[in-house]
Every structure is written in C-alpha cells, then in structure tokens.
Amino acid sequence: MKLKKIPDILYRFTLADFLFILAVFGLALGWIGHMPVFKRYYLADLPGMTWTGDYMLINEINLASASLAAFLIPQRIIKYYNEKHRTDGNHARVRLINILFAGFFAGVLMKIIATGMGLNIPRNVIFIIDMIYMTVSASFILGTPMIWLSGKIAVKVKDKAGIKKESGI
Amino acid sequence: MNISRKDFLKKSALGAGIAALSLSSAADASENSELATLIDLRKCIGCEACVYACQEANAHKYPEPAKPFPKMYPERVKVSDWSDKRDVTDRLTPYNWLYIQRTQVEHDGKTIEVCAPRRCMHCQEPPCAHLCPFGAAHKQANGATTIDPDICLGGAKCNAVCPWNIPQRQTGVGPYLDIAPSYMGNGVMYKCDRCVDRLDKGQLPACIEACPEGVQKIGPRDHIADEARRAAKEEGAYIYGLEENGGTNTIYVSAVPFEKMNNAIASGQGNPHMDKVASVMKKSNILASALIIAPFAGAAASLLRIGDKIKKYIGETRNETEKNT
C-alpha cells in the first residue's frame, strides 16, 4: 500500500490559527497592561483603549488568553512538525520565534502560579519569577516583530538578487 | 467618654490578657491556619490607644523620604508626600496605618456613635498580592498581607485594585530612586502589616495589645468566624468582613447594620467604606482553574483530531489502492 502525500488542510489559515494569534495578543496585552507605566504613559488614554486601564479586566484577559493558548499549544506543536518542510528557508527564524514564545508562555505560567493561585510561595522566589516574566515577555514581544521583519527583508534581498523566493514565516 | 489613667492601665492589662489568651489558643489550634482578628465595635470607645500603639510599634518602618523629590514625567504624575503631615490620625496615610472612623448612626430610634478601628482588611484572596507586578505585596502564611518596601516601586496598582483603597503612597523613598526615578515608579506603598514582626516573635499586634477595652481579638480564622456568627445569632450583632471580597481576616461585629454605617461614612481615599464587596478575584480564580484543565483538553482534542485524520487517510489510500488494482 503506497501512502499518499499528507493533505494540505493543515497549511490553511484555520480558526485555530486565528484563536492562537488572539491568545498571543491577549498575553502580550496582559504583560504590558499589568504594569502601572501603561497608564502613566497615556496608553490607556488612547481613544478606544480606556478599557485597558482596568487592571482586573487585564488580569482576566491574561488568564483567559493563557488558557486559550494552553488549549491550542498541542495542536500548534503538531502543526509545527507537519509544516517543518514548508518553511525550510525560514526554519531558523520560525524556531527562534517558537523558542521565544515557549519562554514567554513558561513565564506567564510561572507568574500565574506564583501570584495568581494563592499559594504560599516565598517572596524572594516570587520576585525572581517576576523578573523572569519581565525578561521573557519583553524578549518575545520585542523580539518576534524584529525576527519577522528580518525574515521579510531577507526574502526581498534574495528576490532582488534573483534568488528563488522563500515562503514567508 | 473619659477614662482615668488607672482605669486605662487596668483595662489595657485586661485587654492584653484576653488577647494573649486568644493568641495562645490560636497557636494551639493549628500552626497552618490563617489568623483573623475580630473587632467588636460595641466595645470600642474611640480612645485611639490602638492608633498610637500602632505608630509607636511601626515607627521604624515609616518612610524617610529623600527631598527634593525627582521631577516626574509626564507631568500629570503627582508626588504623594505625607512626610510633613505625620501627625494626621483621622485617615490612613503612609504614617498612619490604623485610624478610628467615627460615625453617628440612627438605629432603633436612637443615635448611636460608632467608633471603628480601620486598617487593612487582610483579605483571604488579596487582589493587591495577586496583581502586584513586582511581587512586592505578598500574603503571609498567617493570613496577613504585607508590602515589601525594598521591592515596591509605588505604582499604586495595589491601591487601585483594593476594594477599600487601603495602601497609601509616599514619594521619595524606595528602589525606584535607583532605577529611573523621573520615568518609572513613584515611591513605596504602605499599609498595616498586622505587626508581622511582633507576631513572628510570639507577641500580639500592637493595636490588640494596647486596647484597654479588649475590642480586638486574634485567633484562627475558623474560631474568629464562629465567634462572629455566634454574636450575630445570640446577640443580634451585625457582621462585616466575613464574606466581603470572598472573606477577609479582619471581621467586624457591630450593634448597628453596616449599611447604615456605610451611608454615614464620608468614604474616599484613606477613608475606607463599609459597603458590601463581592469577591474581586472570583472570575480570575475561575480562569486560573481553566488554565489547569486547558492543556489536557487541548492534547485530548488534538489526539482525537489526529485519530480522525489517520482513519480518513488510511481509508482514502485503501480505496485508491483498490481502484488501481
């Protein structure tokens, strides 16, 4: 029995993709919005953004997004391994973004477990977790657009040079 | 009400004795149990002995700000300076973690003056500790919530999420001065820590020890809650703090309904209300529970999907093979 090539259904932009992107945005907002500087520097005063000044709402969005991301991560892992051959050119960048996301998500989970679940965790451990959360969140939120842009620039440069176009990230 | 010095000392000793007994029973009952305080407003005469005892016991924790304060950007960020108003005792400040809230309430055809010692409620699910971005606010194993002045940057998020707006800020002190004082942070938040250092040494919180009327008691929360319920059932007393914000470790008992007290209070920053408070963390707790289940549900859904795909894929391949042969 000869096996058919894996169907293309997994390469389409699905509802799961949309929900995952939504969850990532929610987590990013959860990180930025949970700090008082968000309000201090007028971000919560932007038209249509006043709701982001509600710390409890931001916390709930962060938790809901974390739950949604945790639900979708197994599917993302499967999809990643299925699509690996499709992103040969950008594979290093995709992997880097995935690593940054894994770190970010681990930071989110640590933060929620440390301060959101009412556990008696020593204060110095909480402080270390907070610092890790800050670092990994900043790395992911700032790093991902840079990696994505570098991928786009690389594709354009290669196009100009007449090299075969790679698939985008 | 005037009381003589002799009476005051006698009553203080009696009050401390009662409170000490309750603390020893607290220790006997369970080492892991959260401690709660019972504040019986029927006994409080508003003498402020607790207020001054609190100030004396915690003076070493009070902020000593560096002046002049750094210029703040953007300009809308205002300094909070209480360092020149340290003698204010009619509200909560960074230098006054406990005050007597006085109200006159009409009840049962009588005008009753109620004196309520007000300080941090020490919630069982403290939003300040759950939401502090730097882990400066922390709930201790004994049920008290404390703020670490060596970590706090004074963003006042704890004040914003506290249903009673208890923590108060002092500018010009704390770690923000070493980071980016003009652009980030604004001091340190201060509030009652229920004399965590004294409790660690086996002593009573200063306010409880100093009270000449035995207004306050401290003990395992279950015992304190039972006592409050008993007072409500047998003596017709009203309770506040048992259910508020999902339960607090500061439980008030009063002869007048708290709704009436709340209506008579001019509440605001530094003057906490006595209104009903639904659990602030309830939704967050439900979402946190969902987070525990989510990865397992996601893995199960993915496995089912893979199973379906494999089935379909094998079926299609078999059909094609059969067609070809």
Side-chain angles (χ1 to χ4, degrees), chain B residues 292-324:
Chain B
I292 297 168
I293 304 160
F296 299 105
S302 295
L303 286 175
L304 285 173
R305 199 162 168 238
I306 289 172
D308 272 0
K309 277 192 189 302
I310 290 171
K311 239 187 209 174
K312 203 176 159 192
Y313 171 59
I314 290 171
E316 278 175 11
T317 316
R318 192 174 287 156
N319 286 345
E320 266 187 30
T321 317
E322 279 169 9
K323 266 185 201 170
N324 292 338

Side-chain angles (χ1 to χ4, degrees), chain B residues 13-29 202 204 208 216-220 223:
Chain B
L14 186 69
I18 293 166
L21 274 174
S22 70
L23 185 67
S24 65
S25 74
D28 291 346
L204 283 166
I208 299 179
Q216 293 197 54
K217 266 184 197 173
I218 187 165
H223 293 194

Side-chain angles (χ1 to χ4, degrees), chain B residues 115-127:
Chain B
C115 301
R118 298 305 305 271
R119 55 168 168 77
C120 176
M121 298 291 285
H122 297 288
C123 306
Q124 290 197 290
E125 289 280 349

Side-chain angles (χ1 to χ4, degrees), chain A residues 4 34 39 41 45 115 121, chain B residues 76 130 138 157 183 313:
Chain A
K4 241 176 47 176
H34 93 297
K39 272 187 181 178
Y41 289 105
D45 295 342
T115 60
I121 294 173
Chain B
R76 72 166 172 180
H130 284 303
H138 183 65
K157 186 177 178 181
Y183 307 101
Y313 171 59

Side-chain angles (χ1 to χ4, degrees), chain A residues 65-85:
Chain A
S65 303
S67 301
L68 185 58
F71 179 79
L72 293 169
I73 279 173
Q75 184 261 352
R76 302 301 303 176
I77 293 169
I78 293 162
K79 186 168 177 169
Y80 172 72
Y81 282 103
N82 270 331
E83 284 191 1
K84 222 171 169 182
H85 68 281

Side-chain angles (χ1 to χ4, degrees), chain B residues 241-259:
Chain B
L242 198 57
E243 308 289 339
E244 273 62 35
N245 192 24
T248 73
N249 286 325
T250 303
I251 299 168
Y252 290 91
V253 167
S254 165
V256 298
F258 285 94
E259 291 86 352

